[in-house]
Amino acid sequence: MNLDPIIFRPIGVIWSPFNDPVGMPIQPGGARGVRGEVEVDPAFAGGLVDLHEFSRIILLYAFHRSEGYRLRVVPFLDTCEHGVFATRAPRRPNPIGLSVVRLVGVDDCRLLIEDVDILDGTPLLDIKPYVSSFDAFPDEKTGWFGRTRQEIHEVRSDCRFADAGPLGDEDSWEA
């Protein structure tokens, strides 16, 4: 299979109180009340019309400090190894993150947000409104997440994804 690369242009920057990935919340559920801001490039201001009508938004962003990846990882919420696509680990073949945050306010090209689990200065790729009838499926299977014993509110990031180390053949795009 030959797939051409895709290039994304950031539409803004996410600002948060987290300058270091170690010790930060690993999901918005563990970051309740943590405030941040989204600064959208003025070229995209027209896209923010009516966004204030939503209480939550989905932010898609680049894990800009993530280097390399492994196809099997031990995620923050478990002690067992899983395929990277069965986790939300930041070191991925395409380091794209997703967070559902509370939208507190919109002021021109600035969005005030809460429940922020994102590093300061993170490039923003896209914003989508969170719509519970589209985006929430509470009765669906959640794989190994349903078996974890740790609480999302207590778990913090550590250094396990900070250093990519050498990539093996199985982890290379060329393999």
Side-chain angles (χ1 to χ4, degrees):
M1 182 180 334
N2 185 12
L3 300 173
D4 292 328
I6 300 170
I7 298 172
F8 289 100
R9 174 182 173 198
I11 64 167
V13 178
I14 303 167
W15 303 108
S16 81
F18 305 113
N19 294 310
D20 188 338
V22 175
M24 63 182 280
I26 61 165
Q27 291 294 320
R32 298 261 190 234
V34 174
R35 287 210 168 191
E37 284 189 8
V38 175
E39 183 179 356
V40 176
D41 183 318
F44 302 107
L48 299 174
V49 172
D50 299 325
L51 190 65
H52 71 280
E53 296 179 13
F54 295 88
S55 61
R56 289 201 172 267
I57 57 175
I58 301 168
L59 301 178
L60 296 166
Y61 50 89
F63 284 124
H64 66 296
R65 290 185 39 196
S66 178
E67 294 181 13
Y69 64 94
R70 293 278 179 227
L71 295 178
R72 289 176 300 283
V73 299
V74 177
F76 296 122
L77 289 173
D78 205 358
T79 57
C80 298
E81 190 175 74
H82 300 279
V84 71
F85 302 127
T87 75
R88 295 197 173 187
R91 285 182 47 207
R92 322 177 65 77
N94 288 311
I96 298 171
L98 175 152
S99 292
V100 179
V101 297
R102 180 172 301 284
L103 180 60
V104 177
V106 178
D107 182 16
D108 196 27
C109 290
R110 286 195 162 304
L111 312 178
L112 181 60
I113 56 174
E114 281 186 353
D115 305 343
V116 179
D117 67 329
I118 305 166
L119 278 173
D120 192 51
T122 294
L124 177 67
L125 301 177
D126 201 1
I127 303 167
K128 297 183 184 291
Y130 173 85
V131 180
S132 60
S133 57
F134 301 167
D135 301 318
F137 302 93
D139 298 328
E140 298 297 324
K141 294 185 336 182
T142 58
W144 65 268
F145 282 101
R147 297 186 299 272
T148 60
R149 295 174 297 285
Q150 297 170 320
E151 290 293 323
I152 187 70
H153 307 288
E154 300 168 7
V155 177
R156 294 293 180 257
S157 177
D158 58 27
C159 62
R160 77 182 75 191
F161 297 115
D163 181 14
L167 296 177
D169 286 343
E170 72 175 35
D171 295 332
S172 170
W173 280 108
E174 291 77 43

